[in-house]
Amino acid sequence: MAAGMTYFPIATATTSGSISTTTFSSISGAYTDLVLIVNGGASTAVNMQIQFNGDTGTNYSRTALTLDNLTAVSSRQSSVAYTRLEDGGYLSTTFPAKNSIINIMNYSNTTTYKTAIGRANNAGTGLDAAVGLWRSTSAINSITVYIASGNFTNGTTLTLYGIAAA
Amino acid sequence: MPLITTLANASARGYGGLRAAAAPAFDSDFESIATVTVGSGGTTSVSFTSIASTWKHLQIRWIARENTGSVSTPDENIRIRFNSDTGSNYSIHRLNGNGSTVYADGYANQSDVVATGFSGNGATASIYGGGVIDILDYGNTNIYKTIRSLSGVDQNGSGSVWFNSGNWRDTSAITSIELRESTNGFKQYSQFALYGIKG
């Protein structure tokens, strides 16, 4: 089987100042999957939330498996205005204790709803595996990552990669 | 090239507080080997064959949904076999969260390993589960082969996320991989992409 080179950094944002929202926009459909990696913290303990294509409607849901300190739990949110792929691995004031790797699967097809699979880790608070759904068949061309309170700690990095299939 | 914007809060837009860098394309150690997108009518299996030992690890990135049947649960399995081995040479362990309960199981002497967590055909249309399967040190002829996967699907009211591990008790280099849903098949638009990761 022939092989081609496929894993490309699309853009990296490093926060500085009072930043609570970062948007990756004009994402081309050149890839098969997207991978978003976040390392950092926040001025308050808070979960990171995600919206696609500027959709603020209640078209998102999620299911999580969480280790909350020493307790394993599972939770769900349905028909909410964002997807969230963390509970135990949230942003905290300890920097840079938190990291997340979020796979946005087959983001550019216009046939299926969009599924994202994520892992989040915070050495001081817990960790998560979570799956999110955006009930839209639109190709994803922008991703907004935001926190509902406080700001990202300066130096928090958000890097978006594209993976292109053969 | 994406434009990165930042919002200091919900009502203020600013550009000065964030450094954005778009890196140029570069030689990658993560390579696409082959991709299968299921066509009209669905299929019961997808195979990758003649896999070279060029890489250190393999990764399969997938989305899937069952093609037939009326099951709406989010816990369907992709059954995985290597090198056409149908013997009871596989074992699995799974850890699951279904939105309310944490569940775990394990099975020895199976005829395949599994990646769990996609929708049955009875689920809301257009919902496909997804996941990432890593096949570690697949070309090593001294060790049994271990896989791990993270996968799942949310169906807006139900859903499931899974950590799976599996072992194939064979020291052969993996040269072929079969992914099966032999009862109800994979629906059109299900996709399986195989990648190689250099060591």
Side-chain angles (χ1 to χ4, degrees), chain A residues 146-158:
Chain A
Y146 70 99
I147 52 180
S149 61
N151 295 301
F152 288 108
T153 306
N154 289 351
T156 295
T157 59
L158 304 94

Side-chain angles (χ1 to χ4, degrees), chain A residues 77-90:
Chain A
Q77 287 180 297
S78 300
S79 298
V80 290
Y82 54 81
T83 192
R84 189 177 94 204
L85 300 178
E86 60 193 44
D87 279 315
Y90 54 78

Side-chain angles (χ1 to χ4, degrees), chain B residues 111-136:
Chain B
S111 59
D112 42 40
V113 291
V114 297
T116 313
F118 65 96
S119 296
N121 188 48
T124 301
S126 302
I127 295 178
Y128 284 60
V132 179
I133 303 165
D134 290 302
I135 304 166
L136 304 169

Side-chain angles (χ1 to χ4, degrees), chain A residues 1-27 32-35 60-66 72-80 103-106 109 111-115 117-119 127-133 135 137 150-151 163-166, chain B residues 1-10 16-28 30-35 47-52 55 59 61-63 95-102 124-132 150-161 163 189 191 193-195:
Chain A
M1 290 182 171
M5 292 173 286
T6 55
Y7 208 131
F8 298 96
I10 297 174
T12 296
T14 303
T15 61
S16 175
S18 299
I19 300 299
S20 60
T21 300
T22 295
T23 298
F24 297 91
S25 60
S26 303
I27 300 167
T32 302
D33 300 331
L34 299 173
V35 179
Y60 305 84
S61 51
R62 71 183 191 97
T63 300
L65 170 61
T66 297
V73 297
S74 185
S75 61
R76 169 174 301 114
Q77 287 180 297
S78 300
S79 298
V80 290
N103 298 276
I104 302 166
M105 312 303 293
N106 224 249
N109 86 66
T111 305
T112 73
Y113 292 170
K114 304 305 180 295
T115 290
I117 307 275
R119 282 274 293 107
L127 55 86
D128 307 277
V131 57
L133 178 73
R135 297 192 309 283
T137 58
N151 295 301
I163 297 179
Chain B
M1 191 65 65
L3 172 67
I4 299 177
T5 61
T6 65
L7 297 179
N9 54 50
L18 180 145
R19 300 189 303 276
F26 58 94
D27 289 347
S28 174
F30 188 96
E31 298 179 336
S32 175
I33 300 174
T35 299
S47 293
F48 298 106
T49 59
S50 303
I51 301 168
W55 302 279
Q59 185 173 97
R61 306 178 65 87
W62 59 271
I63 63 168
L95 176 63
N96 164 247
N98 67 2
S100 59
T101 303
V102 177
T124 301
S126 302
I127 295 178
Y128 284 60
V132 179
L150 171 64
S151 53
V153 63
D154 187 279
Q155 300 180 154
N156 193 40
S158 61
S160 217
V161 61
F163 279 120
Y189 307 119
Q191 186 178 83
L194 177 66
Y195 299 90

